[in-house]
Amino acid sequence: MRTGELMDLAWRLVEGEGGRARAVLGLAGPPGAGKSTLARVLVDELRRRHGPDAAAYVPLDGFHLSNAQLDRLGLVSRKGSPPTFDVHGYAALLRRLADRPGHDVYVPDFDRSLDEPVAARHVVGPGVRLVVTEGNYLACDLPGWSAAREWIDELWYVDADADERRRRLVERQLAGGRTEGGARAWVEGNDMPNAEVVESSRDSGWVKRVFHWSGHD
């Protein structure tokens, strides 16, 4: 789907019939499908078209458990899998945002150079109309994720060819400092198995639309 069409569909959540004062759009899909890039593009373009309070970006990746907690839990080798996220904290943030408090809400993100979550990288102002949030497991029927979905008005599934996703994921790991062999081993042993979990949610009843997004109009 083209970016302009997706922008129109997203903005209908706040301006269309039955639109809310603040709506939450969720983007699910496997690792490497382009969810975070699309979310940022949508937010930037909606702000350009409708003003600075039109939209704000809220990534699930800010709720990665720290490396210290992963080590404590024995989950370092499964980083990025469902149990390595604070899903309850994420659901609580979405609830807070949907309630539209009259003050700024600070939002964490994941820093790939540090390989750690960082606090307060993003902010959602009180006048923001649309929150765009994205994460692998938003459509999955797994413990904790249904609580997060309660605060998502519409959920989209962003897909991409498996070979393209694999290429992007290897590039991501190389950029993070892994060797070629280490990057490919991580992707095959961790990212692609995680993708299989996500792919099982593609046809979930919670998903409003499924599409490929190339980043080009």
Side-chain angles (χ1 to χ4, degrees):
M1 293 184 72
R2 294 179 178 272
T3 302
E5 182 181 0
L6 292 171
M7 286 174 58
D8 292 341
L9 291 169
W11 196 242
R12 286 179 192 173
L13 294 175
V14 296
E15 276 206 334
E17 184 177 348
R20 294 176 49 183
R22 171 179 288 170
V24 179
L25 170 65
L27 305 179
K35 300 181 300 299
S36 60
T37 302
L38 173 58
R40 291 187 180 98
V41 167
L42 285 175
V43 168
D44 289 346
E45 290 300 307
L46 286 169
R47 286 173 174 172
R48 182 183 59 79
R49 181 183 291 184
H50 300 289
D53 281 339
Y57 174 52
V58 175
L60 168 65
D61 276 358
F63 291 87
H64 268 285
L65 298 183
S66 69
N67 289 329
Q69 296 303 325
L70 294 177
D71 187 57
R72 179 181 67 84
L73 296 167
L75 290 171
V76 173
S77 65
R78 295 295 296 122
K79 191 169 191 171
S81 63
T84 65
F85 290 90
D86 175 17
V87 63
H88 301 293
Y90 173 67
L93 175 67
L94 292 186
R95 177 176 181 174
R96 186 180 174 198
L97 291 171
D99 285 344
R100 198 174 183 180
H103 55 77
D104 288 343
V105 176
Y106 294 96
V107 176
D109 202 348
F110 188 79
D111 190 309
R112 296 192 183 280
S113 63
L114 297 174
D115 197 34
E116 291 275 15
V118 293
R121 175 164 284 178
H122 305 283
V123 61
V124 180
V128 166
R129 302 285 304 281
L130 177 69
V131 169
V132 182
T133 187
E134 51 83 18
N136 296 342
Y137 306 106
L138 301 190
C140 290
D141 188 15
L142 295 168
W145 298 99
S146 60
R149 278 195 299 274
E150 289 182 20
W151 309 104
I152 295 175
D153 294 286
E154 193 164 297
L155 185 59
W156 299 351
Y157 188 100
V158 186
D159 209 349
D161 177 76
D163 288 339
E164 176 64 15
R165 289 190 279 111
R166 183 178 283 105
R167 182 190 65 77
R168 294 173 183 173
L169 292 167
V170 169
E171 289 182 353
R172 181 184 297 175
Q173 293 303 315
L174 290 172
R178 293 185 188 271
T179 65
E180 180 79 22
R184 293 190 180 281
W186 179 267
V187 169
E188 295 303 326
N190 191 63
D191 289 341
M192 298 309 284
N194 289 342
E196 291 178 5
V197 175
V198 178
E199 287 164 352
S200 68
S201 70
R202 188 179 188 275
D203 298 320
S204 164
W206 296 293
V207 174
K208 176 73 171 182
R209 63 187 77 251
V210 179
F211 58 88
H212 286 66
W213 180 73
S214 66
H216 302 288
D217 281 338

